Amino acid sequence: MINRIQDADVQQEKTVLDLRRLICEFFGTFVITLVGSWAIVYRDVGLATLNGVALAHAMAILVMTWMCFDISGAHFNPAITLGVMAVKRSEWSVSLFYILSQFAGGVAAGLFIYGQITAPLFAAIAGKSILGIPAPLFPDFEVSGMWAEVLGGFFFAFTYMALAVDLQRQKSRSLVAPGLALVYFLVFVTVGELSGGTLNPARALGPALVAGKIEKNQFIHFFGSIIGAFLATNLYAFLYIDEDDLLAEEEEREHTKKHVEEAFENEEEEEIR
């Protein structure tokens, strides 16, 4: 009876923890999208500069990563989640719910911004970046924009792998938040104006969906960052992560899963008896 109660407590804790992870991914993406979009709106009306927009995004990433890293891993980005899943550091079922939470956070931020922006402000930013949707400075340079998004997504995901995923660098986890924030800032001020500098499909598509403004830039933001993250995570895994460690982790997860299933089966058989 005591063991059954303990197992139930453990199972309940796992369920609560999973929910907390999804809430963190939702809230983190929401805050990054909200802060970044408002920074772009301020830039469009002359109240912020390129560096200010980059710093706003970076600070949002810094704070939310500090808050949520120990709970969810602080992806806040479907490109990061897909890249981590591609190198078998996350199961597809978990990744799917992460991605859904991230897109929900982006859309919720877009709705929140839509409710905040007044009619005069809408008129002032008309023809620019509606709802703070990231837009390139040179809209006719699609190829350059795609390369910029791929390159930015690559460096951002490579940094995440080095600081947050690689088991041999556990001591560097305290550098995850400032590392990601710094890399984003550097990427944005370097090539961000070529693509809009989102490096994040959920952050780009959320306000665009609310505004009903799905254009070629959104496809660049979507595919560019995902391609960059996929290349970065696989390259990092190939260069620095031992395949034996991956196999050992998979075996340990399977063993734990099997052990838990057997324990519950034994409890059910005892109850039947």
Side-chain angles (χ1 to χ4, degrees):
M1 181 65 178
I2 295 177
N3 291 334
R4 185 163 62 251
I5 293 175
Q6 290 175 343
D7 288 339
D9 291 340
V10 171
Q11 187 67 21
Q12 183 179 6
E13 182 179 354
K14 289 181 179 179
T15 303
V16 173
L17 181 61
D18 290 342
L19 181 60
R20 288 172 59 212
R21 289 174 180 174
L22 299 181
I23 291 173
C24 278
E25 290 299 309
F26 172 88
F27 187 61
T29 310
F30 174 88
V31 171
I32 292 169
T33 303
L34 181 69
V35 172
S37 295
W38 267 112
I40 291 176
V41 170
Y42 288 140
R43 182 194 62 182
D44 289 343
V45 295
L47 298 178
T49 62
L50 170 66
N51 289 344
V53 175
L55 185 62
H57 282 88
M59 291 298 99
I61 291 172
L62 176 71
V63 173
M64 296 313 302
T65 302
W66 264 335
M67 290 176 60
C68 298
F69 180 72
D70 289 335
I71 300 174
S72 70
H75 292 190
F76 310 142
N77 188 334
I80 293 294
T81 301
L82 289 172
V84 172
M85 182 184 69
V87 294
K88 300 179 181 179
R89 311 304 287 190
S90 176
E91 295 184 2
W92 71 266
S93 56
V94 175
S95 299
L96 174 62
F97 284 104
Y98 266 41
I99 292 171
L100 291 175
S101 299
Q102 292 155 4
F103 276 111
V107 171
L111 290 171
F112 197 81
I113 297 166
Y114 181 81
Q116 287 182 305
I117 294 182
T118 60
L121 187 54
F122 261 122
I125 62 177
K128 298 180 182 179
S129 56
I130 307 302
L131 297 184
I133 300 170
L137 183 62
F138 310 103
D140 295 329
F141 286 42
E142 291 91 354
V143 176
S144 298
M146 176 62 80
W147 275 111
E149 200 71 10
V150 170
L151 184 64
F154 179 91
F155 283 118
F156 193 75
F158 199 89
T159 302
Y160 187 91
M161 287 291 294
L163 297 179
V165 178
D166 192 348
L167 294 177
Q168 297 177 354
R169 291 172 171 78
Q170 291 286 346
K171 294 181 180 180
S172 67
R173 281 176 172 251
S174 60
L175 300 176
V176 176
L180 292 176
L182 179 60
V183 167
Y184 186 91
F185 179 84
L186 294 176
V187 168
F188 195 99
V189 298
T190 304
V191 298
E193 289 289 31
L194 292 175
S195 66
T198 63
L199 317 184
N200 186 335
R203 185 263 173 274
L205 289 180
L209 288 172
V210 174
K213 189 179 179 182
I214 304 297
E215 299 178 345
K216 56 187 176 182
N217 291 332
Q218 277 67 57
F219 290 97
I220 291 175
H221 297 152
F222 188 90
F223 291 106
S225 55
I226 290 177
I227 292 171
F230 181 83
L231 293 174
T233 52
N234 280 275
L235 178 62
Y236 190 94
F238 175 76
L239 293 176
Y240 298 113
I241 296 181
D242 190 349
E243 188 68 21
D244 292 337
D245 291 340
L246 288 177
L247 293 175
E249 281 190 12
E250 289 182 6
E251 291 178 358
E252 183 177 355
R253 284 198 297 267
E254 289 297 326
H255 177 74
T256 302
K257 182 179 179 181
K258 184 178 180 181
H259 178 73
V260 172
E261 290 176 352
E262 290 178 351
F264 276 105
E265 288 178 359
N266 293 335
E267 290 291 341
E268 290 177 356
E269 290 178 358
E270 290 181 2
E271 290 179 355
I272 294 174
R273 293 175 183 175

